């Protein structure tokens, strides 16, 4: 116990000192953890020794992180990402594996080259997701694409665990088959192993869908917070153990459990309970990676290992750029997409251990590759930092201003975002005698608007303390007019959790964005170009000679029927064929309705043309 507490104290103390310093220097928390690991590791102050054992324990932080990621992924969103997962993820893993295997064949037997290619195609889920979440870029185009690739990689680990032992070319150093201390299914016939594995996955899905909600509801009614925490941890640990028992990744079980609970009313409570444990274990995991760097091997084989590291990053970076180009990711987002996934991954440590025990690779081959993977993971936060510095824009600078202190809190309306759309909304409300609290995160915009006489406060509306200061407790309506979809979704989720009484009005850029806001339970949604499109259509009709009243009437019919069909389309949004069929049906009915005249089956344009040409 004394030795364990001492080791635990050293880890926590190192993190407490190094991470704030790293954050202060703009390096990010992940790099701070890695530096702490180097300092306290065997080749630093030598304060810790059994790094591998600690790493096995703290890998559970990755499992918890994937449970939280699953909670963020509603099944509808997962279905929406199916093309990205198979397209982005499949392309990246296959192309990277093929290129690295082709290079490896020049030096090693094809079985060994293939094993190395498969393992090095993986990236670090822990580092990448942690960094993207810190930077608030998880829901950007690059963030969603990165997540799709990481999800495919995590799923790809499962067949890799099965394939790698089949590539054995050396005498076995241990069992190449899966063995669990709870139940060993390796002795079963292959078809029974498949049935047991699929049954375990089905059990997790059914447990999450039908059993977890009533259980958590009963626990919540007790009002004992620590029991809810214990139940949440039991769920993550239990699903992980089940997956390990049938030979699958524990991260897969936790992810599936998270996905089926994404629509649960306990989603936010589960997040807040698991988050501290995830953060702590992930931090210690990163420290373990820093401590695991074998500087003796690196110094003796510096040229080889640096060459492997640079080659690995370069190959993956080029492949990712190509994948991003093919799938038409914008230039700015493509660079982030490529940088984010160019390193090796934590599953490499697990899979390289499997290659050793299965007789696929010798220790002389494995050690330089593990060092290269570890160095690439260490360089990942630095590459993020370099990317941020190179792509820094004026918006990064302007957000350094001090946030305003809001003195009034008795307003009934909060207007979040005072850009092009927000300014017009604000002018309209103020002219009608309604004075909203106006929040904007563009300091230059705030300064200009104040000179024009608007009472605008500078600050990030997605911060809970700022919402409280703005009087969210007593307000009645929140108007969200952000141009950034990610920030708008985050703000709505925050308000739904902490201020459920607030009515929310939000603008969406298109129908897909409308559906995403409907997923969050928002009903008052205005598509920002919809009204303009109808007004321009009405103007075009009047220019064609249609009676202004008739053009206005047709516009109102179109608006009313389009809004009426939106809920039906929303229900079928994940069923492509049914969605298209329903859309065609609604649109056909709308055309008939707009073109039908009480006395004649003439279109509005026909009537205008006839009026101009009575002789015909």
């Amino acid at each position: 116990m004394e030795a364990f507490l001492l080791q635990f104290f050293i880890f926590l103390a190192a993190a407490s000192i190094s991470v704030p310093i790293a954050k202060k220097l703009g390096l990010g928390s992940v790099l701070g953890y890695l530096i702490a690991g180097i300092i306290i590791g065997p080749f630093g102050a030598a304060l810790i020794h059994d790094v591998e054992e600690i790493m096995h324990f703290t890998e559970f932080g990755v499992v918890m992180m994937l449970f939280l990621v699953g909670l963020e992924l509603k099944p509808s969103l997962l279905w929406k990402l199916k093309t990205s997962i198979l397209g982005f993820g499949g392309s990246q893993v296959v192309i990277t594996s093929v290129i690295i295997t082709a290079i490896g064949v020049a030096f090693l037997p094809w079985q060994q080259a293939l094993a190395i290619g498969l393992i090095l195609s993986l990236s670090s889920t822990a580092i990448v997701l942690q960094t993207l979440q810190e930077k608030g870029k998880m829901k950007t185009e690059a963030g969603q694409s990165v997540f799709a690739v990481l999800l495919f990689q995590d799923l790809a680990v499962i067949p890799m665990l099965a394939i790698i032992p089949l590539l054995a070319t050396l005498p076995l150093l241990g069992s190449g088959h899966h063995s669990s201390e709870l139940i060993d299914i390796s002795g079963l016939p292959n078809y029974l192993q498949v049935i047991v594995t699929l049954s375990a996955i089905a059990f997790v899905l059914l447990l999450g869908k039908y059993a977890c909600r009533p259980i958590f509801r009963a626990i919540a009614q007790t009002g004992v917070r620590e029991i809810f925490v214990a139940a949440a941890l039991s769920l993550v640990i239990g699903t992980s153990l089940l997956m390990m028992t049938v030979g699958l990744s524990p991260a897969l079980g936790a992810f599936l459990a998270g996905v089926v609970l994404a629509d649960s009313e306990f989603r936010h409570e589960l997040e807040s309970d698991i988050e501290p444990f995830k953060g702590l274990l992930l931090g210690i995991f990163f420290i373990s990676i820093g401590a695991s760097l074998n500087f003796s091997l690196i110094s003796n084989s510096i040229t080889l290992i640096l060459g492997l590291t640079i080659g690995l990053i370069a190959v993956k970076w080029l492949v990712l750029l190509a994948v991003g180009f093919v799938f038409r990711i914008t230039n700015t987002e493509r660079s982030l997409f490529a940088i984010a996934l160019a390193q090796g991954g934590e599953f490499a440590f697990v899979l390289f251990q499997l290659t050793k025990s299965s007789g696929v690779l010798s220790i002389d081959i494995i050690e330089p590759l593990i060092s290269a993977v570890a160095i690439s993971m260490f360089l990942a936060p630095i590459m993020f930092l370099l990317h941020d510095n190179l792509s820094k824009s004026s918006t990064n600078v302007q957000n350094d201003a001090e946030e305003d202190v809001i003195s009034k809190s008795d307003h009934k309306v909060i207007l979040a975002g005072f850009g092009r759309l927000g300014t017009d909304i604000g002018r309209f409300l103020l002219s009608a005698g309604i004075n909203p609290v106006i929040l904007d995160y563009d300091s230059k915009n705030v300064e200009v608007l104040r000179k024009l006489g608007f009472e605008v406060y500078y600050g990030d509306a997605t911060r809970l303390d700022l919402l409280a200061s703005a009087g969210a407790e007593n307000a009645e309506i929140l108007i969200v007019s952000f141009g950034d979809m990610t920030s708008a979704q985050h703000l709505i989720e925050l308000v739904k959790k902490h201020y459920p009484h607030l009515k929310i009005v939000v603008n969406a850029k298109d129908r897909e964005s409308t559906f995403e806001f409907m997923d969050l339970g928002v009903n008052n949604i205005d598509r920002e170009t919809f009204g303009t499109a109808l007004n321009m259509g009405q103007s075009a009709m009047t220019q064609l000679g249609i009676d202004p009243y008739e053009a206005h009437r047709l516009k109102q019919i179109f608006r009313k029927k389009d809004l009426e069909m939106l809920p039906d389309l929303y229900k079928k949004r994940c069923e492509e064929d049914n969605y298209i069929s329903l859309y065609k049906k609604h649109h056909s009915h709308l055309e008939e309705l707009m073109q039908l005249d009480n006395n004649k089956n003439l279109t509005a344009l026909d009537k205008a043309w006839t009026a101009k040409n009575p002789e015909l």
Side-chain angles (χ1 to χ4, degrees), residues 61 64 229 233 273-282:
M64 287 190 171
V229 175
L233 288 173
D273 287 341
I274 295 293
E275 182 70 36
F277 296 97
K278 182 269 294 186
L280 181 62
L281 288 174
L282 268 184

Side-chain angles (χ1 to χ4, degrees), residues 66-78:
L66 283 172
F67 175 72
L68 294 178
V69 168
L71 281 178
E72 294 290 337
L73 264 190
K74 296 182 179 179
S76 58
L77 180 58
L78 193 60

Side-chain angles (χ1 to χ4, degrees), residues 15 34 67 97 119 181 202 215 257 279 293 323 325 348 351 378 458 487-488 502 553 561 565 586 595:
L34 294 171
F67 175 72
S97 298
I119 295 170
E181 294 182 7
I215 292 172
L293 286 174
V323 169
F325 178 79
L351 293 173
F378 181 83
Y458 171 76
S487 299
L502 277 177
R553 188 180 70 83
K561 291 301 177 182
M565 76 176 181
H586 273 295
Q595 293 176 7

Side-chain angles (χ1 to χ4, degrees), residues 384-399:
F384 271 111
L385 194 63
L386 289 173
H387 174 270
D388 286 347
N389 289 334
L390 290 173
S391 61
K392 185 180 291 184
S393 62
S394 59
T395 54
N396 300 115
V397 178
Q398 67 193 19
N399 288 341

Side-chain angles (χ1 to χ4, degrees), residues 483-511:
D484 179 22
M485 180 74 177
T486 304
S487 299
Q489 288 176 313
H490 179 59
L491 175 57
I492 290 169
E493 289 178 344
L494 199 67
V495 168
K496 285 284 186 181
K497 179 179 180 181
H498 295 280
Y499 302 105
H501 70 281
L502 277 177
K503 301 181 184 71
I504 299 173
V505 179
V506 64
N507 77 294
K509 65 179 181 180
D510 51 30
R511 182 168 286 158

